[in-house]
Amino acid sequence: MAPARKTFLTGLAVFAAGLALWLFGLDTEIFVFTPTKVGLVLMVLGGLEALYGLYKIVRGDGAEPR
């Protein structure tokens, strides 16, 4: 799989994990952090990574070396 596609899929996976924490961690509070806040940060980072992967796919930087 091309590196650009891996970046895109990894970004989507991180976004989905953040979304799950944000949606289902509302009533939970762990000693050091709140899952909703961590979920929001993961959603932002995952979205940025997915956009960067999409940019690399469109631009054509994701081609495997020959």
Side-chain angles (χ1 to χ4, degrees):
M1 187 182 302
R5 291 199 189 271
K6 287 182 185 176
T7 303
F8 179 69
L9 292 176
T10 303
L12 288 180
V14 171
F15 182 83
L19 183 64
L21 277 174
W22 184 67
L23 288 175
F24 302 115
L26 294 174
D27 296 335
T28 308
E29 186 169 334
I30 299 175
F31 179 67
V32 179
F33 61 89
T34 307
T36 53
K37 292 179 184 177
V38 173
L40 187 61
V41 170
L42 284 176
M43 284 175 24
V44 169
L45 293 176
L48 289 174
E49 186 173 3
L51 286 175
Y52 178 63
L54 187 62
Y55 168 75
K56 286 174 58 175
I57 289 171
V58 170
R59 187 168 169 209
D61 292 345
E64 292 185 17
R66 295 179 185 191

